[in-house]
Amino acid sequence: SSDLQSSSEKPDFINLIKDSIDIENYFNYQIFETYITNIDSRGNVRFFKPNGGRWKWVVYDADQACTYAETNFIKMRSLPDKRLWYNPTYTTTILEHLLKNDTLRNRFITQYCYLNATYLNADYFSQSLDERASKIKDELPRHFNRRKNLYGEDMESWTKKFNELKKYFLDRDSNLLDDLRLTFNCDSAFHLSVKQNYSNFNAVTINQSSVFSNRINGYFFSHIPFELNVVNNNHLYKFNRWSDGVKELNRKIDLSTNLDLEAVFSHLPSSIRKDSISIRRCYLNYSKKQNLCFIELFNNNDNPVSLKGIRLYEDVNHIDLDLSEYKIDGKSSIDRKSTRLNSSHEWISRMPSSA
């Protein structure tokens, strides 16, 4: 903490810190914990460091969260003016000193607004809770039949707690901007609405955040400019322009009034071979080192087909394979299997399929 305190205003402070910790991960962790007012997070701090990586934090044990919607937990965990049982020094030191740096403080505030405008809000949680409740509703009568005598649980008490949880998020959103304004002495806030003309993928973010969305709908503070970003992360679409005519992928936003924008994409032309070649099997293990385990392509036609100019994309793991050197015989398939993505891959011709 002494190093943080003495160097927070040094020009190279951010570079020194980001070499050790994942700053965005840490901010997202603190934003989530303060949004749900997890008072017991002070004793449940969990962090790890992947091989060759930086320190990251994880949420652990939130059974005492979502109760104190009107408490300014942001201030109590970031710039506390008093110490209570739920905000001892060891839980606030890192964040407190990071936020003494003007650049990082503005980034934290903007990230808080961004997450509230995308995922951390009452609408998102209400929808998620309803979806999960519908999946377990048939099991609830059996559950309460087992536990009513021991714990006094029944459908009525469960429904009451369920509705209280949804109400918490409504109350939290109504207080959030005031909490940020009081904690960080922020100015006026203006509404920002950003959407995509194609909403089936997430391509919009702010300040190069790793959290992407297809819609931003919330308030941001006027005295804190930020960068609005759009990325071409879906191979079927290409970004053309913003609705106000700006064509840059990354643009500076400094709100002085409400702003509505749309990211305009065009759907790229479909391949003329889209009906003749199909993926029969594909296995991914979502590992950075071993993304693609196995894939089989099948030629639906009777005649051989060349794969010249064909590329294979998988957008989640950013797999991009050039298949130009291969061809598939009629009613046959080829497959590719590998134990490591960065090792050589072998394509194997297969016997004609009877399928």
Side-chain angles (χ1 to χ4, degrees), residues 234-297:
N234 187 305
H235 70 279
L236 294 177
Y237 302 89
K238 179 182 178 181
F239 173 73
N240 290 331
R241 58 179 174 81
W242 296 97
S243 54
D244 61 356
V246 175
K247 295 184 178 180
E248 284 76 15
L249 292 168
N250 307 310
R251 57 183 298 179
K252 184 178 179 180
I253 301 293
D254 193 353
L255 292 178
S256 58
T257 185
N258 296 338
L259 178 62
D260 294 338
L261 290 172
E262 183 177 57
V264 181
F265 291 82
S266 59
H267 195 296
L268 297 177
S270 299
S271 170
I272 60 174
R273 299 185 181 91
K274 69 181 182 68
D275 295 324
S276 60
I277 303 173
S278 58
I279 297 176
R280 298 187 64 175
R281 291 179 292 174
C282 181
Y283 299 101
L284 302 169
N285 64 4
Y286 299 102
S287 166
K288 289 184 178 180
K289 293 183 177 180
Q290 302 179 18
N291 296 36
L292 180 62
C293 293
F294 181 89
I295 188 166
E296 179 183 357
L297 304 180

Side-chain angles (χ1 to χ4, degrees), residues 181-212:
R181 186 179 289 110
L182 291 172
T183 301
F184 300 108
N185 194 28
C186 297
D187 291 335
S188 301
F190 294 97
H191 188 266
L192 174 66
S193 174
V194 180
K195 59 183 180 180
Q196 300 173 191
N197 62 325
Y198 290 98
S199 60
N200 55 318
F201 62 100
N202 298 331
V204 176
T205 190
I206 280 178
N207 287 339
Q208 303 292 340
S209 171
S210 61
V211 179
F212 289 91

Side-chain angles (χ1 to χ4, degrees), residues 311-344:
R311 304 190 73 87
L312 180 67
Y313 296 94
E314 194 276 314
D315 292 319
V316 174
N317 295 286
H318 307 294
I319 297 174
D320 179 358
L321 303 176
D322 185 358
L323 311 182
S324 294
E325 62 183 287
Y326 305 104
K327 75 173 184 177
I328 313 177
D329 293 332
K331 297 298 183 182
S332 298
S333 62
I334 59 173
D335 60 42
R336 185 176 189 175
K337 56 185 178 180
S338 167
T339 56
R340 296 180 67 87
L341 183 60
N342 59 0
S343 66
S344 61

